[in-house]
Amino acid sequence: MDCARKVLRVLPKKLFTRSFTMTSSQRAKEAIEKLKETNPYYTKYADKIAKAQLTSAEEFLDRIERVVNPIKDGKIQARSYSELLNPKQKLAKESAEVPHKKLTDIMKMELIADKNAEEISQIWIEYHKTKEVLAATLTTSQYQTLTERAKEHPIFLLPLPRSEGFEFIMLQFAANSVHFTPLLAYQVHQENAPECLTLVHYTEMQDKGIVLMRGEYDTKVLTAQEAQCLANELQMFYYKTDESKLKLLETFTKRPDEFKHMDLIKEVENIQLG
């Protein structure tokens, strides 16, 4: 695939191992220049990059390092999405959990209460046909696999095919939701990096063998086809059995120094946007 040769690259680790004789400001400027040279999506986030650089050079570099190396010494460096969604508010407790989103918030339960799994699936898909969202259903077995894998690999990257090549999108699990945000936006402006897609899994009908999925996306960042592509990639890595994809998850989480972004792209480069 020709566009794979023009792949979006994250910052090389050597940026963070250069001589300490350079000042923080100089290193921040060098990071900016590297972004311009290697990242076709730089101009899309140029304003936020400039603002982030001005606030604090050390903080700017730290934000990039935490995403380039999300796992350090066996611990997640990235902040939780509960913090990202409310950057100015502190959680009451460090262990506070993000609440599960409820089906009753978006749908009248009486519509499906007395239906079987097949009928619920048909109603769910039909219900969302006229809405600008993604909608799908999972079996309880698929959802169990998803949640088990999410516990082991709560953060991952997905490459999204674009006309210029690929743009990396970071995902993170929280409660019954999966949050996606452009990696570059997260690198340079972590606290305020906007989500481009959120997938919610509703488990209220799990006793009938079905889990309902709904995805809301930012139409200024993603098309419907691109949002669906990310949902499909999540499915490929998190609830299908494929040894090469499982190996990538393991490497990203446990051996990040060995993780190669081109290996990730090879796994999905045959995906075509609808």
Side-chain angles (χ1 to χ4, degrees), residues 59-242:
E59 183 181 354
F60 173 75
L61 290 167
D62 181 58
R63 288 175 183 175
I64 297 177
E65 200 276 338
R66 278 185 286 172
V67 177
V68 174
N69 299 301
I71 308 296
K72 184 176 182 180
D73 298 328
K75 297 180 180 180
I76 296 172
Q77 294 200 83
R79 294 170 60 189
S80 71
Y81 262 88
S82 60
E83 292 178 277
L84 296 180
L85 293 173
N86 300 286
K88 295 181 180 179
Q89 298 176 4
K90 293 185 178 180
L91 294 176
K93 297 180 180 180
E94 286 290 326
S95 60
E97 295 184 357
V98 178
H100 277 64
K101 294 190 176 182
K102 299 178 181 179
L103 186 58
T104 51
D105 293 336
I106 62 166
M107 189 179 193
K108 294 179 180 179
M109 294 296 290
E110 54 264 31
L111 291 175
I112 57 177
D114 61 344
K115 309 298 183 183
N116 60 35
E118 184 177 351
E119 292 170 328
I120 292 172
S121 179
Q122 292 174 350
I123 292 171
W124 182 252
I125 300 301
E126 189 65 30
Y127 178 78
H128 289 94
K129 270 188 177 179
T130 58
K131 296 175 173 59
E132 206 168 50
V133 298
L134 304 182
T137 61
L138 288 72
T139 65
T140 52
S141 176
Q142 288 173 326
Y143 183 68
Q144 182 177 357
T145 300
L146 173 72
T147 54
E148 288 175 354
R149 237 168 250 180
K151 289 178 182 177
E152 294 183 36
H153 313 290
I155 299 174
F156 194 55
L157 296 180
L158 295 177
L160 177 65
R162 299 276 203 179
S163 58
E164 299 92 340
F166 288 86
E167 180 173 13
F168 283 106
I169 307 295
M170 191 184 83
L171 68 82
Q172 181 171 343
F173 288 83
N176 60 334
S177 302
V178 192
H179 304 269
F180 299 74
T181 195
L183 178 60
L184 180 55
Y186 192 83
Q187 284 176 323
V188 299
H189 210 60
Q190 187 177 1
E191 297 86 41
N192 298 309
E195 294 175 52
C196 59
L197 171 66
T198 302
L199 301 181
V200 181
H201 296 92
Y202 297 99
T203 59
E204 284 86 340
M205 297 289 113
Q206 199 166 0
D207 60 336
K208 296 189 178 185
I210 189 171
V211 173
L212 308 177
M213 187 280 286
R214 171 181 165 120
E216 297 183 2
Y217 58 94
D218 184 345
T219 57
K220 294 179 181 178
V221 181
L222 300 174
T223 64
Q225 291 81 9
E226 289 168 340
Q228 186 63 60
C229 179
L230 289 172
N232 291 344
E233 289 184 5
L234 176 75
Q235 175 181 329
M236 290 164 55
F237 282 93
Y238 279 87
Y239 56 91
K240 284 193 173 181
T241 302
D242 185 315

Side-chain angles (χ1 to χ4, degrees), residues 16-84:
F16 308 103
T17 56
R18 295 288 300 274
S19 171
F20 286 103
T21 58
M22 296 179 67
T23 67
S24 297
S25 179
Q26 288 173 325
R27 285 186 289 127
K29 288 180 180 178
E30 182 177 285
I32 284 287
E33 291 306 312
K34 288 292 183 180
L35 279 174
K36 288 180 181 178
E37 294 171 7
T38 65
N39 203 314
Y41 294 92
Y42 172 83
T43 55
K44 183 176 180 180
Y45 305 103
D47 290 342
K48 287 188 176 182
I49 291 171
K51 290 177 182 177
Q53 184 189 11
L54 288 172
T55 56
S56 167
E58 285 289 355
E59 183 181 354
F60 173 75
L61 290 167
D62 181 58
R63 288 175 183 175
I64 297 177
E65 200 276 338
R66 278 185 286 172
V67 177
V68 174
N69 299 301
I71 308 296
K72 184 176 182 180
D73 298 328
K75 297 180 180 180
I76 296 172
Q77 294 200 83
R79 294 170 60 189
S80 71
Y81 262 88
S82 60
E83 292 178 277
L84 296 180

